[in-house]
Amino acid sequence: MHLISGIPDQLADFARLTATAVLDTWSAAGVLQQVPGDRGRFLPVAIRVLLSCPDRPALARVRGMTPGFSGEVAEFYAKYRRGYPPPVVEALRTAFALNADDIVLDLGCGTGQLSLPLASRVRSVIGMDPEPDMLRLAGESAAGQGVRNVTWVLGGDSDVPAVGALVGRESLAMAVIGQALHWMRHEELFRTLAPLFRAGGGVAVVANGTPLWLQDCAWSQALRSCLEDHFGRRLEATCGTAAHDRRRYAEALRTAGFTNVRETVIDYGDELSIDEIIGGVYSAIPAGKLPGQEDRPAFAERIRRSLPSGPYLESVQVSVLVGRVT
């Protein structure tokens, strides 16, 4: 989000194009709506980040982004990654008493799995992600659903100070990080976010169930064995979903000054098709290691043959860890 301040020389072209898009949108939409006397009520109604940068790989190198969720991986992510059931969104609304005047930051928003259902409950959502393809697909989903109060911003956790410069202190009702905190420097992030919340606002860390290949059932164990054999290494990363991860995040929230740190768990069951399992696997493979189009049928067949007969049932446990400011 270097369009606000500190733009490196290497991003001059991108900044110029983005600034033009922002100015055009501001002209049409009336810039920012200000509630007199309350800096925290500035609403970013007109900011749009141009996602058609002519050299996305170069942009990614300059900004230090991880391009693992680009291209087809982002497409698989949008189609096959788990969404969030309504009780999860309701738990977030209740935890921070979200209302129609609030601004929410969805950090690591992906293709909008949380941004879009949250949008109907608040005034504005800022969906922020370092991967342009994720944001492109999120924007398409928003348009398809008629959602108009989500702003898609290119950036990561290191760009949160720029968001703060835009919206001001004590402006956000919530920053939600859904299945993405393991990519971030969480201790530094929590400290940076703390001054940006209104009273009663805070951080929500959402873990959306155990990865498909780490579940405690026969088909998941068979899938893990197949993938470990294919990639030649053990698959042990929990992606922030394990109990020890949540304890670590909870302690970091307390250290950063958040209070009433607590966890809510929502359980539900689902039945997956073979195609959903394979698509879920594709959504988690870095773009550089995703099997090519010509190799994909053989890879998918290998997974099919490794799995026992269905049905493929999974028990999903969604953790909502919250910490508030007073």
Side-chain angles (χ1 to χ4, degrees), residues 65-121:
M65 295 178 188
T66 300
F69 291 103
S70 61
E72 286 187 289
V73 175
E75 301 278 353
F76 285 120
Y77 194 105
K79 185 174 182 179
Y80 291 109
R81 279 296 177 104
R82 299 186 195 105
Y84 294 87
V88 173
V89 179
E90 179 60 20
L92 294 171
R93 187 199 66 78
T94 301
F96 302 106
L98 298 178
N99 61 67
D101 292 326
D102 282 331
I103 302 172
V104 165
L105 172 64
D106 182 2
L107 187 56
C109 66
T111 55
Q113 283 91 339
L114 275 173
S115 295
L116 297 179
L118 283 168
S120 64
R121 292 163 170 80

Side-chain angles (χ1 to χ4, degrees), residues 210-259:
T210 305
L212 291 173
W213 49 90
L214 291 181
Q215 298 180 21
D216 187 19
C217 59
W219 69 261
S220 177
Q221 292 164 6
L223 177 64
R224 177 179 179 178
S225 178
C226 174
L227 295 177
E228 288 181 340
D229 184 61
H230 177 81
F231 290 108
R233 63 182 180 87
R234 291 184 61 78
L235 300 179
E236 299 176 324
T238 58
C239 304
T241 65
H244 64 83
D245 296 315
R246 299 197 293 271
R247 287 193 296 269
R248 184 162 48 96
Y249 296 152
E251 183 57 33
L253 283 169
R254 296 186 184 96
T255 301
F258 291 89
T259 62

Side-chain angles (χ1 to χ4, degrees), residues 184-205:
M184 305 177 191
R185 298 181 293 275
H186 65 276
E187 294 174 339
E188 178 181 343
L189 173 64
F190 294 161
R191 292 193 298 269
T192 302
L193 283 169
L196 303 183
F197 296 117
R198 63 153 168 77
V203 172
V205 179

